[in-house]
Amino acid sequence: MFRLPDLPYPADALEPTVSRATMETHWGRHHKAYVDKTNELAAAGLQGRSLEEVVIAAAESRAENPKLFNNAGQAWNHGFFWNSMTPTGGAAPSGEFALAVEQAFGDQQALRNRFVEEGVSHFASGWAWIVWREGRLQVTSTHDADTALVHEGTPILVCDLWEHAYYLDYKQDRKSFLERWFDTVANWSFASSQLQAAQAGQQGWRWPE
Ligand code: FE
């Protein structure tokens, strides 16, 4: 059985960018429901398998069985999302990560513009990602429960574009949410460790056992 992981910080730690009310509902209700539903749907098929393995297998049969992929994908994406944020965000990344940003986008401001643009122009629900693909950082987005985990490349950082991620705090203003998210809570130290893993050919963050 998969267990809802604890948040890596208290529920009010990301205020005012993300309110305690949003975190409590988002983590305690939405994320919990995805984890519970994954357990229920996968049941006997779960033994000894990591959530990553379940998501990858479910992706292959999602045409026949979309429910398992939708719930397992959402469970994994949210786990990755909590780690993509930190109360001590805000400082621009340095070192290898800054170099990779420079090579791919020019500078951190250009990455910010690209990321916010991707998130704002993404139609309806989904996820805005920074991924390591084809030897460089790229910005992309996925729809609904789809996850960078099952596409080519390694996930580096993600922001939730579903309305439940920002509606309480920003109403329908996804752009303001994305800008403040990027400027104040995006976890560049997590992004750097993901990049290191990607460059070493490893997956990086995994769902906790
Ligand atoms: Fe969400």
mmCIF file of all heavy atoms in Angstrom, residues 26-27 30-31 34 74 77-78 81-82 126-127 160-165, ligand 1:
data_model
loop_
_atom_site.group_PDB
_atom_site.id
_atom_site.type_symbol
_atom_site.label_atom_id
_atom_site.label_comp_id
_atom_site.label_asym_id
_atom_site.label_seq_id
_atom_site.Cartn_x
_atom_site.Cartn_y
_atom_site.Cartn_z
ATOM 1 N N HIS A 26 -5.272 20.763 -0.544
ATOM 2 C CA HIS A 26 -4.564 20.186 -1.688
ATOM 3 C C HIS A 26 -3.866 18.880 -1.291
ATOM 4 O O HIS A 26 -3.982 17.864 -1.968
ATOM 5 C CB HIS A 26 -3.549 21.219 -2.195
ATOM 6 C CG HIS A 26 -3.080 20.985 -3.592
ATOM 7 N ND1 HIS A 26 -2.252 21.846 -4.254
ATOM 8 C CD2 HIS A 26 -3.327 19.970 -4.451
ATOM 9 C CE1 HIS A 26 -2.006 21.367 -5.457
ATOM 10 N NE2 HIS A 26 -2.640 20.236 -5.606
ATOM 11 N N TRP A 27 -3.162 18.943 -0.173
ATOM 12 C CA TRP A 27 -2.430 17.762 0.293
ATOM 13 C C TRP A 27 -3.374 16.774 0.999
ATOM 14 O O TRP A 27 -3.427 15.582 0.666
ATOM 15 C CB TRP A 27 -1.295 18.198 1.242
ATOM 16 C CG TRP A 27 -0.609 17.077 1.948
ATOM 17 C CD1 TRP A 27 0.295 16.202 1.408
ATOM 18 C CD2 TRP A 27 -0.776 16.691 3.316
ATOM 19 N NE1 TRP A 27 0.700 15.297 2.354
ATOM 20 C CE2 TRP A 27 0.060 15.573 3.532
ATOM 21 C CE3 TRP A 27 -1.551 17.179 4.372
ATOM 22 C CZ2 TRP A 27 0.141 14.941 4.775
ATOM 23 C CZ3 TRP A 27 -1.461 16.552 5.603
ATOM 24 C CH2 TRP A 27 -0.628 15.445 5.793
ATOM 25 N N HIS A 30 -7.069 16.366 -1.774
ATOM 26 C CA HIS A 30 -6.837 15.962 -3.168
ATOM 27 C C HIS A 30 -5.750 14.884 -3.280
ATOM 28 O O HIS A 30 -5.962 13.838 -3.874
ATOM 29 C CB HIS A 30 -6.466 17.171 -4.027
ATOM 30 C CG HIS A 30 -7.584 18.142 -4.205
ATOM 31 N ND1 HIS A 30 -8.635 17.921 -5.077
ATOM 32 C CD2 HIS A 30 -7.839 19.335 -3.618
ATOM 33 C CE1 HIS A 30 -9.477 18.938 -5.013
ATOM 34 N NE2 HIS A 30 -9.016 19.821 -4.132
ATOM 35 N N HIS A 31 -4.581 15.185 -2.713
ATOM 36 C CA HIS A 31 -3.484 14.220 -2.857
ATOM 37 C C HIS A 31 -3.836 12.904 -2.168
ATOM 38 O O HIS A 31 -3.603 11.820 -2.707
ATOM 39 C CB HIS A 31 -2.179 14.800 -2.285
ATOM 40 C CG HIS A 31 -0.962 14.023 -2.694
ATOM 41 N ND1 HIS A 31 0.260 14.182 -2.094
ATOM 42 C CD2 HIS A 31 -0.792 13.065 -3.643
ATOM 43 C CE1 HIS A 31 1.133 13.353 -2.669
ATOM 44 N NE2 HIS A 31 0.518 12.671 -3.600
ATOM 45 N N TYR A 34 -6.014 10.740 -4.338
ATOM 46 C CA TYR A 34 -5.296 10.077 -5.439
ATOM 47 C C TYR A 34 -4.531 8.848 -4.922
ATOM 48 O O TYR A 34 -4.490 7.808 -5.583
ATOM 49 C CB TYR A 34 -4.315 11.039 -6.105
ATOM 50 C CG TYR A 34 -4.966 12.198 -6.831
ATOM 51 C CD1 TYR A 34 -4.559 13.518 -6.591
ATOM 52 C CD2 TYR A 34 -5.973 11.986 -7.775
ATOM 53 C CE1 TYR A 34 -5.144 14.590 -7.266
ATOM 54 C CE2 TYR A 34 -6.558 13.053 -8.448
ATOM 55 C CZ TYR A 34 -6.139 14.351 -8.182
ATOM 56 O OH TYR A 34 -6.710 15.403 -8.845
ATOM 57 N N GLN A 74 -1.292 11.205 -10.734
ATOM 58 C CA GLN A 74 -1.541 12.355 -9.855
ATOM 59 C C GLN A 74 -0.881 12.163 -8.491
ATOM 60 O O GLN A 74 -0.369 13.121 -7.902
ATOM 61 C CB GLN A 74 -3.050 12.567 -9.674
ATOM 62 C CG GLN A 74 -3.718 13.228 -10.845
ATOM 63 C CD GLN A 74 -3.242 14.660 -11.049
ATOM 64 O OE1 GLN A 74 -2.177 14.905 -11.592
ATOM 65 N NE2 GLN A 74 -4.016 15.619 -10.582
ATOM 66 N N ASN A 77 2.849 12.878 -9.164
ATOM 67 C CA ASN A 77 3.090 14.289 -9.493
ATOM 68 C C ASN A 77 3.015 15.171 -8.251
ATOM 69 O O ASN A 77 3.824 16.082 -8.076
ATOM 70 C CB ASN A 77 2.072 14.776 -10.522
ATOM 71 C CG ASN A 77 2.376 14.279 -11.931
ATOM 72 O OD1 ASN A 77 3.443 13.724 -12.182
ATOM 73 N ND2 ASN A 77 1.434 14.467 -12.842
ATOM 74 N N HIS A 78 2.042 14.912 -7.384
ATOM 75 C CA HIS A 78 1.934 15.745 -6.179
ATOM 76 C C HIS A 78 3.105 15.526 -5.232
ATOM 77 O O HIS A 78 3.588 16.480 -4.624
ATOM 78 C CB HIS A 78 0.592 15.507 -5.477
ATOM 79 C CG HIS A 78 -0.557 16.194 -6.154
ATOM 80 N ND1 HIS A 78 -1.298 15.587 -7.139
ATOM 81 C CD2 HIS A 78 -1.067 17.441 -6.006
ATOM 82 C CE1 HIS A 78 -2.230 16.441 -7.563
ATOM 83 N NE2 HIS A 78 -2.113 17.570 -6.894
ATOM 84 N N PHE A 81 5.731 17.515 -6.621
ATOM 85 C CA PHE A 81 5.386 18.941 -6.497
ATOM 86 C C PHE A 81 5.718 19.480 -5.098
ATOM 87 O O PHE A 81 6.269 20.568 -4.965
ATOM 88 C CB PHE A 81 3.895 19.110 -6.812
ATOM 89 C CG PHE A 81 3.336 20.501 -6.659
ATOM 90 C CD1 PHE A 81 3.928 21.587 -7.283
ATOM 91 C CD2 PHE A 81 2.189 20.720 -5.893
ATOM 92 C CE1 PHE A 81 3.383 22.878 -7.150
ATOM 93 C CE2 PHE A 81 1.639 21.990 -5.761
ATOM 94 C CZ PHE A 81 2.251 23.072 -6.391
ATOM 95 N N TRP A 82 5.388 18.727 -4.031
ATOM 96 C CA TRP A 82 5.702 19.227 -2.680
ATOM 97 C C TRP A 82 7.196 19.480 -2.549
ATOM 98 O O TRP A 82 7.618 20.416 -1.904
ATOM 99 C CB TRP A 82 5.233 18.274 -1.584
ATOM 100 C CG TRP A 82 3.806 17.800 -1.688
ATOM 101 C CD1 TRP A 82 3.356 16.515 -1.546
ATOM 102 C CD2 TRP A 82 2.632 18.594 -1.938
ATOM 103 N NE1 TRP A 82 1.991 16.468 -1.722
ATOM 104 C CE2 TRP A 82 1.522 17.716 -1.956
ATOM 105 C CE3 TRP A 82 2.410 19.963 -2.175
ATOM 106 C CZ2 TRP A 82 0.215 18.164 -2.189
ATOM 107 C CZ3 TRP A 82 1.107 20.402 -2.412
ATOM 108 C CH2 TRP A 82 0.039 19.518 -2.414
ATOM 109 N N GLY A 126 -3.410 20.563 -15.611
ATOM 110 C CA GLY A 126 -2.166 19.895 -15.971
ATOM 111 C C GLY A 126 -1.014 20.345 -15.103
ATOM 112 O O GLY A 126 -1.224 20.794 -13.966
ATOM 113 N N TRP A 127 0.188 20.241 -15.654
ATOM 114 C CA TRP A 127 1.421 20.482 -14.905
ATOM 115 C C TRP A 127 2.436 21.185 -15.789
ATOM 116 O O TRP A 127 2.607 20.792 -16.947
ATOM 117 C CB TRP A 127 2.006 19.132 -14.445
ATOM 118 C CG TRP A 127 1.067 18.362 -13.560
ATOM 119 C CD1 TRP A 127 0.055 17.539 -13.952
ATOM 120 C CD2 TRP A 127 1.030 18.383 -12.131
ATOM 121 N NE1 TRP A 127 -0.596 17.043 -12.850
ATOM 122 C CE2 TRP A 127 -0.015 17.535 -11.730
ATOM 123 C CE3 TRP A 127 1.814 19.025 -11.156
ATOM 124 C CZ2 TRP A 127 -0.333 17.325 -10.377
ATOM 125 C CZ3 TRP A 127 1.508 18.816 -9.821
ATOM 126 C CH2 TRP A 127 0.443 17.971 -9.444
ATOM 127 N N ASP A 160 1.930 22.711 -10.224
ATOM 128 C CA ASP A 160 0.565 22.229 -10.454
ATOM 129 C C ASP A 160 -0.265 23.331 -11.107
ATOM 130 O O ASP A 160 -0.348 24.441 -10.584
ATOM 131 C CB ASP A 160 -0.030 21.837 -9.088
ATOM 132 C CG ASP A 160 -1.311 21.035 -9.195
ATOM 133 O OD1 ASP A 160 -2.013 21.148 -10.217
ATOM 134 O OD2 ASP A 160 -1.619 20.319 -8.223
ATOM 135 N N LEU A 161 -0.899 23.021 -12.256
ATOM 136 C CA LEU A 161 -1.728 24.003 -12.960
ATOM 137 C C LEU A 161 -3.220 23.755 -12.752
ATOM 138 O O LEU A 161 -4.046 24.433 -13.361
ATOM 139 C CB LEU A 161 -1.410 23.967 -14.465
ATOM 140 C CG LEU A 161 0.034 24.243 -14.873
ATOM 141 C CD1 LEU A 161 0.200 24.057 -16.384
ATOM 142 C CD2 LEU A 161 0.465 25.638 -14.452
ATOM 143 N N TRP A 162 -3.555 22.772 -11.932
ATOM 144 C CA TRP A 162 -4.973 22.536 -11.660
ATOM 145 C C TRP A 162 -5.494 23.704 -10.804
ATOM 146 O O TRP A 162 -4.777 24.205 -9.935
ATOM 147 C CB TRP A 162 -5.163 21.222 -10.894
ATOM 148 C CG TRP A 162 -4.930 19.977 -11.707
ATOM 149 C CD1 TRP A 162 -3.800 19.630 -12.386
ATOM 150 C CD2 TRP A 162 -5.858 18.908 -11.897
ATOM 151 N NE1 TRP A 162 -3.972 18.406 -12.991
ATOM 152 C CE2 TRP A 162 -5.220 17.942 -12.707
ATOM 153 C CE3 TRP A 162 -7.170 18.676 -11.458
ATOM 154 C CZ2 TRP A 162 -5.855 16.756 -13.083
ATOM 155 C CZ3 TRP A 162 -7.794 17.490 -11.838
ATOM 156 C CH2 TRP A 162 -7.136 16.555 -12.649
ATOM 157 N N GLU A 163 -6.739 24.078 -11.014
ATOM 158 C CA GLU A 163 -7.273 25.215 -10.248
ATOM 159 C C GLU A 163 -7.202 24.991 -8.745
ATOM 160 O O GLU A 163 -7.042 25.939 -7.980
ATOM 161 C CB GLU A 163 -8.722 25.514 -10.669
ATOM 162 C CG GLU A 163 -8.778 26.394 -11.899
ATOM 163 C CD GLU A 163 -10.144 27.023 -12.126
ATOM 164 O OE1 GLU A 163 -11.121 26.595 -11.461
ATOM 165 O OE2 GLU A 163 -10.226 27.918 -12.976
ATOM 166 N N HIS A 164 -7.283 23.725 -8.298
ATOM 167 C CA HIS A 164 -7.245 23.503 -6.847
ATOM 168 C C HIS A 164 -5.906 23.940 -6.245
ATOM 169 O O HIS A 164 -5.799 24.112 -5.050
ATOM 170 C CB HIS A 164 -7.594 22.046 -6.488
ATOM 171 C CG HIS A 164 -6.608 21.015 -6.959
ATOM 172 N ND1 HIS A 164 -6.993 19.786 -7.461
ATOM 173 C CD2 HIS A 164 -5.259 21.002 -6.992
ATOM 174 C CE1 HIS A 164 -5.912 19.083 -7.783
ATOM 175 N NE2 HIS A 164 -4.852 19.799 -7.497
ATOM 176 N N ALA A 165 -4.900 24.149 -7.085
ATOM 177 C CA ALA A 165 -3.584 24.579 -6.596
ATOM 178 C C ALA A 165 -3.550 26.065 -6.261
ATOM 179 O O ALA A 165 -2.711 26.511 -5.480
ATOM 180 C CB ALA A 165 -2.511 24.261 -7.637
HETATM 181 FE FE FE B 1 -3.004 19.289 -7.437
#
